[in-house]
Amino acid sequence: MKVSTPLTDGWTVRLDTTRHRPDQAPDALLDAALPAAVPGCVHTDLLAAGLIPDPFLDRNETDVAWVGRADWSYRTRLDAGADAAGHERTDLVFDGLDTVAEIRLGGERLGATRNMHRSYRYDVTGRTGGGPGTLLEVDFTSAYQEAERVRDLLGPRPNAYSEPFNFVRKMASSFGWDWGPTLVTAGIWRSARLEHWSVARLAEVRPEVTVGADGTGRVRLRVEVERTEGGAARALRAVVRVGDAEAGVELPPGATTADVDVEVPDAALWWPRGYGDQHLYACALTLTDADAPAEPLDGWERRVGFRTVELDTSADAAGSGFTLVVNGVRTFVRGVNWIPDDALITRVDAARYRRRLTQAAAAGVDLVRVWGGGVYESEDFYDICDELGLMVWQDFLFACAAYPEEEPLRSEVEAEARENVVRLMPHASLVLWNGNNENLWGFCDWEWEPQLAGASWGEGYYLDVLPRVVAATDPTRPYWAGSPWSGSRDLHPNDPAHGTSHSWEVWNRLDHSAYRDDVPRFVAEFGWQAPPAHATLRRAVTDDPLTPDSPGVLHHQKAEDGNGKLARGLAPHFAAPEDYDTWHYLTQVNQVRAVATGVEHWRAHWPHCAGVILWQLNDCWPVTSWAAVDGDEREKPLYHELGRLYADRLLTLRRRDGRLVLTAVNQSATPWSCAASVRRLDVHGAVPAEQRVPVDVPARAVADIELPDTLTTPDDPRREFLVADADGLRAVHFAVPDRQFAYPPAEAVVKVTREDGGARVTVTAHTLLRDLLLQADRLHPDARADRGLVTLLPGESAEVAVAGWDGEAPEALQGALRAVNGSGAPILFGDASR
Ligand code: BMA
């Protein structure tokens, strides 16, 4: 049997000053080698050795910029003689090298690499054993060096950013983004090992999983083997088990490929969450010598799920849609965009993926889009998505720039694409391959065409290379050329009537009410910024005083004119905030309002619009951004709002053809029938008009319910608002912006009850409290609240469970509770006896 020896131990890393010596490098680095983590990266090694400050704090990012411009040498000694004994072959395998490396064993050059997104295998038979240990060296050149070399060779290309990430196959956001720091890493970022084997090994296994009309699940395993010289003449046998079903095939001497078909009658289906269970089947392949079936040579095991997935982009009267159809069910996608969860990506382990993806699932998310400026994530990510029923839309790794199509990039792109398609295709959760992020759009709208003057820019990848790779390698999955993309060169890529759209005008230039101005067929990106939780910002920035534009806070805002856009977004709704705390609260509220406006509007237009993907679920460091979960893993109010917006059933009051209607969205498989109570209320709780209206919505449908004028026409829009309640769901509608509404000063009674592991806070409203928020992190940095914004009518109560706060010093609540009444002024705590 093949034996693997992990190469995790004994590594050191040294600053290589052969080419240049960075002035800022500490002297301690000049002669010394540091212990190095494998997998890992230079930045985390330097942090562990105390040789650089934490780049996530204050403006340290700038002070450590030299690390990304330096060259680094990794070394270890191999002593693999014992494991190699009795085997014909030994391979040295790297699952990932970041990025530009030369590898030497015993002083002899094995090869060079320049692609973070590929793995590398070298035949090192007979060169690893014996003596005191053979020296293995991996020398990294700065990725800048390589990118700039290729840029000089091929000529410049337009890029939304000023960094050369489009000239090297490395995680683009390493070079900084409008939510991320510039930390250009280097290192052995995925596992390294020696593999000892004889006769033959499995070189590639590709499961094509389908379901027949009769419910029979089929797995066709396309197998490729590599043989040793001695193994060439042997007959081999490949046996596959899927659940209880088994099939085998013989590979005659010399043959290196085979297909094995396994059928599973009445296969239990894999469904996206919310549609059914996530049945997964163990799928195991064993390779043996045909004459020695009891002694495996190599094995492969994954979990597969039976499900069908189609992308319906057929033309209709309105244009052409973009609907994911899973197991025959047409879906409205409730998605989030995913970026690397840490700028130092090797710190993201399985536990962290599970926390983040579990957060997404708990918020009602059913699809995660892995964005093209990041990485093809590790197996753990997709395994967890399989288990949680989170569909995955995987971008190929191109974002926001023109990418040359010549060598030395072209063959890297092709090899990288094929390798990652093979690696990820076993996963049931993976439903779509997407060519790139915003590059087809950039060519049309960002003035690339004149700058390019005929130079290649990546179109050939998206319209030719990548679709060919997917069709040949993973023929059961749909491919879409880009996001946004309208399906044809003849249409504008971001045409809302066709395919996918990105809605960025609204955040960049307009009020969030403008989301209602069009109805794209599928909104693959849209979002609104807000600062992270206060405790997150306070941990990262020591500015005193901390203000919205103090130097550290501004450093942790990477978007062009980000704070200006936050302020412009607030202006139509609220008086300009006078202090940091009010700014912090109101900008978080406005993020919720913006996203809610978009999602409620687009969901109301199902099936014309078949999905939304929020920009963005997560952050990669502490920063003001579009994220729902911040860089310290704290949930912003938007996170909690997603739970309401992405639930199967959603209630909203909205204008349709100039009239206010109650819209009931029902994405569940069963009809929704109930009565809604709709009330016109005044600020003091009086009810000038009230009516019960029937709600009857078929399964996976939307109903608009007309409302009488008595309800929709306020006597005084500054003092009245509309509330609809049905089945525990609530929609509220204010006819005027907050700044014009005559809110009473917020007054409430607050009660704290201690309970296991935390406290329960009960807020009883004496007045209308709009968008009440308990910021748990202001009670204790480890505290977490189980809900976000809630609007209370006079007399109503809300309970907030706060984990990680023992209820000590309840007066702290005064600084942790706010409502929008009085433009976010603190709440008056009333007398419980009143
Ligand atoms: C789109 C994304 C990202 C970016 C986001 C916010 O362009 O694809 O590149 O971070 O908008 O500006």
Side-chain angles (χ1 to χ4, degrees):
M1 181 71 169
K2 185 176 84 181
V3 178
S4 284
T5 319
L7 295 178
T8 37
D9 298 334
W11 287 94
T12 59
V13 61
R14 195 175 49 78
L15 177 67
D16 177 356
T17 53
T18 327
R19 240 189 318 258
H20 78 116
R21 198 213 131 162
D23 298 337
Q24 303 93 325
D27 289 344
L29 263 179
L30 291 181
D31 316 301
L34 309 173
V38 171
C41 78
V42 171
H43 286 83
T44 49
D45 292 335
L46 292 172
L47 271 170
L51 291 171
I52 54 169
D54 185 344
F56 285 14
L57 304 184
D58 289 318
R59 289 180 285 170
N60 296 341
E61 174 198 351
T62 321
D63 300 335
V64 306
W66 65 270
V67 178
R69 298 236 168 226
D71 300 336
W72 301 92
S73 289
Y74 279 73
R75 286 189 162 57
T76 192
R77 287 197 179 268
L78 304 185
D79 194 2
D83 289 327
H87 285 283
E88 296 172 78
R89 262 283 289 272
T90 298
D91 292 346
L92 170 63
V93 182
F94 293 101
D95 285 338
L97 294 170
D98 172 14
T99 291
V100 187
E102 184 175 292
I103 300 138
R104 285 190 307 279
L105 185 63
E108 215 179 296
R109 188 175 183 274
L110 292 180
T113 73
R114 49 164 160 254
N115 191 337
M116 177 183 187
H117 311 303
R118 291 177 66 184
S119 64
Y120 295 91
R121 174 182 292 268
Y122 302 100
D123 178 356
V124 295
T125 309
R127 295 202 253 167
T128 57
T134 318
L135 184 64
L136 173 61
E137 298 163 283
V138 186
D139 289 347
F140 289 96
T141 307
S142 162
Y144 274 112
Q145 195 95 36
E146 166 74 3
E148 285 158 7
R149 181 184 75 83
V150 174
R151 188 176 58 194
D152 291 347
L153 197 72
L154 303 179
R157 295 291 194 285
N159 185 333
Y161 295 85
S162 58
E163 299 275 341
F165 62 78
N166 44 341
F167 295 96
V168 61
R169 299 306 299 156
K170 171 173 170 62
M171 173 171 121
S173 63
S174 256
F175 291 85
W177 217 259
D178 58 3
W179 34 257
T182 303
L183 293 169
V184 179
T185 48
I188 302 172
W189 81 290
R190 283 186 165 151
S191 41
R193 64 188 167 280
L194 291 170
E195 288 187 5
H196 311 286
W197 55 282
S198 298
V199 184
R201 70 171 186 96
L202 292 166
E204 184 178 289
V205 183
R206 289 189 291 119
E208 291 173 15
V209 183
T210 52
V211 192
D214 63 347
T216 303
R218 286 191 181 79
V219 181
R220 165 163 293 182
L221 274 200
R222 298 189 172 268
V223 182
E224 197 180 312
V225 299
E226 182 185 2
R227 295 167 178 264
T228 61
E229 236 170 82
R234 309 293 311 169
L236 302 172
R237 193 166 166 71
V239 176
V240 180
R241 272 192 87 82
V242 180
D244 299 328
E246 193 177 286
V249 73
E250 195 162 308
L251 287 83
T256 54
T257 59
D259 290 348
V260 194
D261 291 308
V262 188
E263 293 206 342
V264 177
D266 299 319
L269 296 181
W270 183 95
W271 287 96
R273 56 179 297 100
Y275 292 83
D277 293 334
Q278 287 75 50
H279 288 287
L280 293 167
Y281 287 79
C283 173
L285 165 63
T286 310
L287 183 72
T288 64
D289 191 308
D291 294 336
E295 292 160 40
L297 299 168
D298 199 354
W300 176 96
E301 185 160 359
R302 298 286 187 285
R303 288 177 305 178
V304 296
F306 293 103
R307 50 115 192 90
T308 61
V309 54
E310 296 143 85
L311 181 63
D312 182 359
T313 58
S314 49
D316 53 27
S320 51
F322 189 89
T323 307
L324 274 173
V325 186
V326 183
N327 296 330
V329 177
R330 303 177 70 78
T331 64
F332 180 95
V333 164
R334 287 158 271 182
V336 286
N337 281 282
W338 173 275
I339 63 165
D341 206 54
D342 192 323
L344 301 177
I345 193 160
T346 54
R347 294 195 290 207
V348 185
D349 59 8
R352 179 145 154 191
Y353 279 128
R354 191 172 288 281
R355 289 198 299 279
R356 196 71 59 258
L357 292 166
T358 303
Q359 274 172 316
V365 168
D366 60 21
L367 179 142
V368 180
R369 172 182 173 222
V370 181
W371 166 77
V375 296
Y376 305 99
E377 299 284 348
S378 78
E379 284 308 287
D380 295 322
F381 176 93
Y382 304 91
D383 276 339
I384 296 166
C385 290
D386 288 344
E387 289 167 19
L388 295 177
L390 290 167
M391 295 182 278
V392 177
W393 151 333
Q394 178 70 49
D395 281 7
F396 286 99
L397 302 184
F398 304 91
C400 300
Y403 286 79
E405 292 171 43
E406 292 81 28
E407 296 297 351
L409 288 167
R410 190 182 186 84
S411 43
E412 290 296 339
V413 164
E414 193 150 356
E416 158 199 328
R418 191 171 188 291
E419 178 176 340
N420 283 286
V421 170
V422 171
R423 179 167 74 87
L424 302 183
M425 64 186 280
H427 293 279
S429 54
L430 183 65
V431 294
L432 181 72
W433 292 106
N434 176 56
N436 74 87
N437 176 73
E438 296 189 347
N439 298 345
L440 294 157
W441 184 20
F443 180 77
C444 286
D445 275 9
W446 303 347
E447 277 154 41
W448 289 2
E449 203 168 351
Q451 292 176 60
L452 281 163
S456 66
W457 55 278
E459 187 184 36
Y461 295 146
Y462 319 132
L463 299 182
D464 177 30
V465 174
L466 298 173
R468 269 196 289 112
V469 167
V470 173
T473 315
D474 183 17
T476 72
R477 273 190 188 84
Y479 170 85
W480 193 243
S483 196
W485 174 238
S486 291
S488 144
R489 279 196 188 86
D490 302 331
L491 295 165
H492 187 279
N494 207 26
D495 184 340
H498 299 274
T500 51
S501 292
H502 288 193
S503 176
W504 284 114
E505 271 306 286
V506 180
W507 154 254
N508 283 317
R509 271 167 281 279
L510 306 168
D511 177 55
H512 54 61
S513 58
Y515 282 131
R516 301 196 189 99
D517 294 348
D518 57 22
V519 190
R521 309 306 302 262
F522 192 105
V523 186
E525 280 186 18
F526 77 106
W528 203 270
Q529 277 203 347
H534 169 70
T536 302
L537 202 53
R538 187 72 280 185
R539 182 185 77 83
V541 176
T542 53
D543 292 355
D544 186 16
L546 192 69
T547 71
D549 52 9
S550 56
V553 176
L554 278 187
H555 187 82
H556 291 250
Q557 159 63 281
K558 296 291 191 182
E560 197 190 328
D561 191 27
N563 274 19
K565 289 172 187 172
L566 285 174
R568 277 203 295 286
L570 279 183
H573 305 279
F574 302 102
E578 279 171 14
D579 56 43
Y580 159 83
D581 291 322
T582 309
W583 170 82
H584 181 269
Y585 163 73
L586 287 179
T587 47
Q588 286 200 336
V589 168
N590 216 34
Q591 180 185 37
V592 171
R593 297 264 192 98
V595 170
T597 302
V599 176
E600 290 181 9
H601 168 67
W602 294 316
R603 284 196 68 179
H605 285 87
W606 158 261
H608 175 91
C609 176
V612 296
I613 309 183
L614 173 78
W615 187 268
Q616 70 214 63
L617 171 68
N618 55 336
D619 266 332
C620 65
W621 77 315
V623 68
T624 293
S625 83
W626 301 263
V629 178
D630 77 21
D632 280 0
E633 310 194 26
R634 293 194 177 90
E635 294 154 354
K636 287 153 91 164
L638 173 60
Y639 171 80
H640 295 283
E641 182 74 358
L642 282 183
R644 182 181 77 83
L645 295 171
Y646 281 181
D648 276 349
R649 291 175 177 177
L650 174 71
L651 211 54
T652 171
L653 287 159
R654 64 185 191 102
R655 291 207 167 274
R656 198 199 56 188
D657 306 327
R659 277 193 67 81
L660 207 56
V661 293
L662 176 64
T663 297
V665 180
N666 178 28
Q667 279 298 333
S668 76
T670 50
W672 183 16
S673 290
C674 65
S677 133
V678 187
R679 288 176 286 169
R680 176 153 65 86
L681 289 161
D682 80 5
V683 280
H684 303 298
V687 189
E690 180 172 17
Q691 193 163 318
R692 289 179 83 73
V693 295
V695 173
D696 282 299
V697 203
R700 306 199 201 288
V702 178
D704 286 337
I705 299 145
E706 304 285 342
L707 300 174
D709 289 348
T710 47
L711 285 173
T712 57
T713 317
D715 293 330
D716 178 353
R718 295 180 63 251
R719 289 190 166 71
E720 289 180 5
F721 57 102
L722 207 58
V723 179
D725 290 290
D727 270 351
L729 303 179
R730 168 170 284 182
V732 292
H733 181 266
F734 289 71
V736 298
D738 296 73
R739 53 184 306 161
Q740 288 168 26
F741 195 80
Y743 290 111
E747 210 181 307
V749 170
V750 179
K751 203 177 88 195
V752 179
T753 331
R754 287 203 197 179
E755 48 181 40
D756 232 19
R760 183 163 295 272
V761 179
T762 309
V763 181
T764 304
H766 275 178
T767 58
L768 164 68
L769 294 180
R770 185 161 181 211
D771 288 338
L772 173 75
L773 178 66
L774 172 56
Q775 299 182 330
D777 62 292
R778 287 181 184 260
L779 300 171
H780 189 284
D782 298 335
R784 175 175 181 255
D786 69 344
R787 68 192 300 176
L789 303 182
V790 55
T791 292
L792 296 179
L793 307 180
E796 288 183 339
S797 296
E799 286 197 359
V800 189
V802 183
W805 176 59
D806 59 10
E808 284 300 348
E811 59 281 1
L813 280 165
Q814 187 72 66
L817 272 169
R818 282 181 185 255
V820 299
N821 307 39
S823 254
I827 294 175
L828 291 173
F829 283 9
D831 178 352
S833 61
R834 214 184 82 177

